[in-house]
């Protein structure tokens, strides 16, 4: 059975993403910040790649938490992730 975890730890999020060749990105929604994403593989057109510092600034300003899965049900490395509100 696969399970998910939630964290706000910047180092854990960055390590999780980089282990999967993920890069911090944002979809600009006008104004400051934007919708955060982790971009895997080929860059998607609507994603703007950003640095980790800007990524975590937006993450903290919006009081987000990172919901992620380490392994799939069959034991393979998972890329499932989602940004959720902090409790």
């Amino acid at each position: 059975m696969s399970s998910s975890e939630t964290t706000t730890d910047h180092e854990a999020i960055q390590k999780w993403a980089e282990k999967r060749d993920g890069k911090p990105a944002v979809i600009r929604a006008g104004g400051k910040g934007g919708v955060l994403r982790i971009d895997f593989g080929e860059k998607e057109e609507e994603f703007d790649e950003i640095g980790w510092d800007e990524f975590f600034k937006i993450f903290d300003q919006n009081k987000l938490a990172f919901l992620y899965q380490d392994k799939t049900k069959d034991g393979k490395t998972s890329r499932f992730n989602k940004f959720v509100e902090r409790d």
Side-chain angles (χ1 to χ4, degrees):
M1 178 152 123
S2 61
S3 64
S4 60
E5 297 181 44
T6 304
T7 188
T8 58
D9 182 274
H10 293 188
E11 186 176 327
I13 296 166
Q14 186 172 347
K15 281 183 177 182
W16 181 92
E18 289 176 345
K19 183 177 179 182
R20 292 156 176 80
D21 296 323
K23 304 215 180 340
V26 67
I27 299 172
R28 300 290 180 189
K32 290 184 179 181
V35 179
L36 291 180
R37 294 286 184 259
I38 304 289
D39 194 13
F40 301 99
E42 291 187 33
K43 184 179 178 311
E44 297 200 32
E45 190 175 315
E46 67 272 11
F47 289 8
D48 288 335
E49 191 172 320
I50 59 176
W52 285 111
D53 287 340
E54 182 179 357
F55 179 91
F56 289 121
K57 182 177 179 182
I58 296 167
F59 181 81
D60 289 334
Q61 284 175 341
N62 289 284
K63 296 180 173 67
L64 297 173
F66 186 68
L67 175 72
Y68 66 100
Q69 182 182 51
D70 196 44
K71 300 278 184 191
T72 62
K73 192 182 331 182
D74 60 0
K76 294 181 180 172
T77 300
S78 176
R79 294 192 318 189
F80 172 78
N81 71 92
K82 183 177 178 179
F83 294 97
V84 297
E85 290 182 17
R86 292 182 190 175
D87 291 332

